[in-house]
Each structure stands twice: as C-alpha cells, then as structure tokens.
C-alpha cells in the first residue's frame, strides 16, 4: 500500500508544481505592456535619423523630422502602467488577434486602462516572377486616462512606428520604403477589427 501511495502522491505533487510555475509565468508576461519600452526604443532610433522619413501631424498639416518627433514619443512613454498600482488583467484570443486589457481597479488614479492587441499574419505576393511570403506582427495600444491626454492610440508594425493619436491629434509616419505586403497585412487587421 505504501508503495502505491508513494507512486500516486509524487506525480500529483509534480503536476501541481508545474501548473503553479506555468501560472506564475503567465502573470509575469502580463506585468508589462511593452508600451513604454517600444516608445523609448523608437524615440532613441529617431534622434539621429534626419533624412530617413517624416511624421505628418494631421491637425497642423505639418511634417515633423524624426528627431523632432522622437521628443513626443519620449513624453508619451511615461503613460504606461504604474508599478505601485494594482491592475486587473484580462486576456483573450480571437482568431489571429491576442487581446490583453489592464484595467485599474480604483477610480481616483490617472490611468484607467491599457488595451493591447497583437495581430500576426503572413502575406504571400507575386514579385519579379516569383512568390514572396512575409510574416507580419502588428501591435495596437489604446490607453485611456482620467487626465489629459485622455486617449492615446499607438500602432506598431514589425517593431516600427506606424501612427499615434494623442487625443484628437494624429501623427502618421511617412517613409520612403515599405516592406512588401505590409499594407495588405494592415488591411486584413483593420477588417478584423471592424468585425469585432
């Protein structure tokens, strides 16, 4: 009897331990949104890129150089999760879209929620007589706050800046070259978002 009980308890203990470790890993990945890191990474890259592109401001109808725009991204990077505040995390997967929402449980703080959508797809196209298949990852962040700026929307494609809207001001990247299939990937993602 002792022999049988020992063989049952040990695998059960290992199973419980493994599921606990897996649960901790899931929580670890949800502790950070990646928003601040992404903004600072792109801001640092743009500081020295004078002739690689521009960013268009739809309100003033003016173009910013990348070094000028890097300052805006640096400022926006501070509107990420506050480590001293507890957030409720909800995660779901709908087809090709992974959705994570960090919601503040208190009403008297600046940051209400951060929503992160991650979309992965592959696009195959004809090019120079052959077929080219590219994989794409698009990340959308939507930050909702009680104080100004009240809404921040950021879109990143393949770890590169695409657009950001801060309240009612939209900034769009204007670059000379684009990866083949990137516009089709955007279109697919936007169609799925409109169906939600």
């Amino acid at each position: 009897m002792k022999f049988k009980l020992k063989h049952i308890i040990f695998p059960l203990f290992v199973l419980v331990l493994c599921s606990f470790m897996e649960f901790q890993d899931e929580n670890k990945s949800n502790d950070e949104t990646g928003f601040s890191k992404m903004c600072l990474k792109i801001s640092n890259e743009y500081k020295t890129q004078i002739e690689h592109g521009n960013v268009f401001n739809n309100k003033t109808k003016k173009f910013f150089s990348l070094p000028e725009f890097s300052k805006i991204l640096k400022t926006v990077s501070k509107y990420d999760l506050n480590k001293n505040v507890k957030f409720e995390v909800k995660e779901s997967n709908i087809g090709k879209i992974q959705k994570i929402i960090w919601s503040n449980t208190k009403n008297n703080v600046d940051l209400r929620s951060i929503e992160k959508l991650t979309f992965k797809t592959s696009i195959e196209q004809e090019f120079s007589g052959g077929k080219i298949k590219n994989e794409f990852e698009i990340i959308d962040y939507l930050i909702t706050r009680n104080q100004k700026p009240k809404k921040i929307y950021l879109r990143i494609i393949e770890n590169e800046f695409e657009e950001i809207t801060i309240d009612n001001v939209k900034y769009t990247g204007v670059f000379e070259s684009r990866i083949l299939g990137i516009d089709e990937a955007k279109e697919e993602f936007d169609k799925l978002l409109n169906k939600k």
Side-chain angles (χ1 to χ4, degrees):
M1 182 70 181
K2 282 183 183 178
F3 178 76
K4 287 181 181 177
L5 191 60
K6 189 179 181 181
H7 281 80
I8 292 170
I9 290 176
F10 182 71
L12 188 63
F13 174 74
V14 171
L15 185 67
V16 170
L17 186 65
C18 288
S19 63
F20 178 71
M21 286 170 66
E22 198 174 290
F23 177 73
Q24 277 188 323
D25 286 345
E26 280 177 21
N27 282 348
K28 218 179 259 183
S29 67
N30 289 338
D31 284 348
E32 291 185 13
T33 65
F35 175 79
S36 183
K37 283 182 182 174
M38 186 61 72
C39 287
L40 289 173
K41 173 192 161 292
I42 295 168
S43 173
N44 287 332
E45 288 172 3
Y46 283 5
K47 274 181 192 175
T48 56
Q49 293 183 7
I50 297 167
E51 296 175 13
H52 292 279
N54 292 289
V55 176
F56 182 71
N57 178 325
N58 77 328
K59 193 171 186 179
T60 62
K61 307 294 182 200
K62 290 183 180 174
F63 287 93
F64 283 82
S65 69
L66 297 184
E68 287 174 314
F69 182 67
S70 72
K71 294 171 189 171
I72 294 169
L73 281 178
K74 188 176 181 181
T75 303
V76 166
S77 72
K78 67 182 179 183
Y79 300 121
D80 205 342
L81 295 178
N82 182 339
K83 290 179 182 176
N84 300 322
V85 179
K86 286 195 174 184
F87 288 86
E88 186 180 295
V89 182
K90 289 182 183 171
E91 189 173 346
S92 62
N93 291 306
I94 309 155
K96 293 181 178 181
I97 302 172
Q98 179 196 41
K99 181 179 184 179
I100 306 174
I101 300 174
W102 291 263
S103 302
N104 199 324
T105 53
K106 296 178 182 176
N107 294 326
N108 60 343
V109 288
D110 291 346
L111 182 61
R112 285 171 47 201
S113 68
I114 297 180
E115 180 178 313
K116 179 182 181 181
L117 301 177
T118 305
F119 170 73
K120 292 181 181 178
T121 192
S122 59
I123 303 290
E124 192 174 292
Q125 290 184 318
E126 298 276 341
F127 184 74
S128 296
K131 286 190 176 184
I132 292 181
K133 187 176 182 180
N134 285 322
E135 305 277 326
F136 293 99
E137 181 179 78
I138 302 174
I139 299 174
D140 279 4
Y141 290 99
L142 178 62
I143 297 176
T144 310
R145 296 169 32 86
N146 288 320
Q147 311 247 342
K148 285 192 173 183
K150 292 200 168 185
K151 284 205 188 260
I152 299 166
Y153 165 77
L154 173 68
R155 174 166 280 184
I156 301 293
I157 301 180
E158 286 298 295
N159 292 317
E160 297 294 332
F161 171 76
E162 181 70 19
E163 66 180 74
I164 189 167
T165 303
I166 304 166
D167 285 334
N168 62 343
V169 182
K170 184 177 181 178
Y171 300 89
T172 309
V174 181
F175 304 100
E176 289 178 16
S177 60
R178 307 252 307 160
I179 301 169
L180 188 68
I182 207 165
D183 292 321
E184 288 75 11
K186 264 178 64 177
E187 192 178 318
E188 183 185 345
F189 186 31
D190 289 334
K191 278 181 184 174
L192 290 173
L193 290 177
N194 290 334
K195 287 179 186 175
K196 274 174 58 183

